[in-house]
Amino acid sequence: MTPRGPRPAGSDTRADILLAAAREFSAKGYNGVSVRGIARSAGVDPALVHHYFEGKSGLFVEAMQLPADPGPTILSFLEGPREGVGERIARGFFGLWEAPERQERFVAIVRSAVGHEDASRMLREFLAREVFGRIAASSGVPDPQLRAGLAASQMIGLAMLRYVIGYPPVVQAEVEELVRLVGPTIQRYLVEADPS
Amino acid sequence: MTPRGPRPAGSDTRADILLAAAREFSAKGYNGVSVRGIARSAGVDPALVHHYFEGKSGLFVEAMQLPADPGPTILSFLEGPREGVGERIARGFFGLWEAPERQERFVAIVRSAVGHEDASRMLREFLAREVFGRIAASSGVPDPQLRAGLAASQMIGLAMLRYVIGYPPVVQAEVEELVRLVGPTIQRYLVEADPS
């Protein structure tokens, strides 16, 4: 006999919240959505959302099926001495992308963001707040948001050539070779007051 | 009365060749296609293809509706003293993208390359041969194909954030500010023997 006790507590509620979150983020972007609004849309108490998810950022990560929560990950790359931060970010970025199961999902996210304005807006606002914003906040350079964007542009461009478009010399390079070559670029953007 | 003389010479032949070229490039990539094969597919003499288009590269540029032929353009950026090459490439790249009518077409090409493997392969092979290859050939650094890829990755990532995804600090930056910040990156990749 199949046991017929109560369903695992909250299994449906959790799914309902994720569904509502995906709908809300897609319609209003990352900035336009609140945990309270998602709770309302899912028909649950906001306290329940906080019970299941780590705030708006955690909810976004799960609703979008991001392979990792970039917020805490980025913070771990930023720790340690200033002089190695460029290499740590580059190495950490490749560490996230190289695992095949994550890579596939990342590529799908890039495809979606490039192809659909809704997805683009969500991702742009999420990255600006939870990733680039944290990098900028830890950086002592002028115009830190632009600098964080430049660092991100280097890593995004590499991901495009290595994982999405597939330019052979970049695909075949060893990760550590890439880290050695692009680490100083990230370092310049994030650490040097005048990198020109 | 409408004049009923002969049609403008070659108007149909030219269109036929372009259609055949688009079909061939899409099916076989840039490397797998020859001018002779396109002529055969269009049912015309190869000499006619050479009459209308500047070789395979020119045919690709027109068949794909590229807003500019990057080959000669890149060569013009590479001319002049070595020390300014990074800034000239960055400035030239933005010069191509900033014009609204070209920008729209570039963004459409990026979307297509990210979304479809056929388009991705065509563009990847074309860029490798006609753009990155020329940059690499003019560069005296070790592993020049990889270095050209790194330079391209920086510019592609910037194009993603400025024109495709739209991260505001990168969108709002002045072109000359971006040139000042990323010029030295391109310079390092293409000119310095050991940029780490």
Side-chain angles (χ1 to χ4, degrees), chain A residues 16-96:
Chain A
D16 288 348
I17 295 170
L18 277 178
L19 200 65
R23 217 165 38 216
E24 290 275 302
F25 284 127
S26 173
K28 301 175 187 166
Y30 187 71
N31 294 342
V33 165
S34 66
V35 167
R36 180 165 297 272
I38 290 170
R40 194 181 316 117
S41 162
V44 304
D45 192 276
L48 254 181
V49 179
H50 286 291
H51 170 71
Y52 288 119
F53 302 96
E54 291 197 32
K56 188 161 94 166
S57 159
L59 202 42
F60 184 83
V61 167
E62 291 215 42
M64 295 304 109
Q65 300 170 43
L66 297 192
D69 186 344
T73 313
I74 278 293
L75 288 183
S76 75
F77 303 158
L78 293 171
E79 282 166 8
R82 290 310 282 166
E83 61 263 35
V85 75
E87 289 209 353
R88 287 201 303 281
I89 287 180
R91 191 174 290 115
F93 180 88
F94 287 117
L96 286 176

Side-chain angles (χ1 to χ4, degrees), chain A residues 1-2 10 20 24 27 29 41 48-49 68 75 80 105 121 129 135 140 144 156 165 173 196:
Chain A
M1 258 181 70
T2 319
E24 290 275 302
S41 162
L48 254 181
V49 179
L75 288 183
R105 183 63 200 145
R121 179 182 169 203
R129 174 145 326 178
I135 295 177
I156 288 171
I165 294 184
S196 61

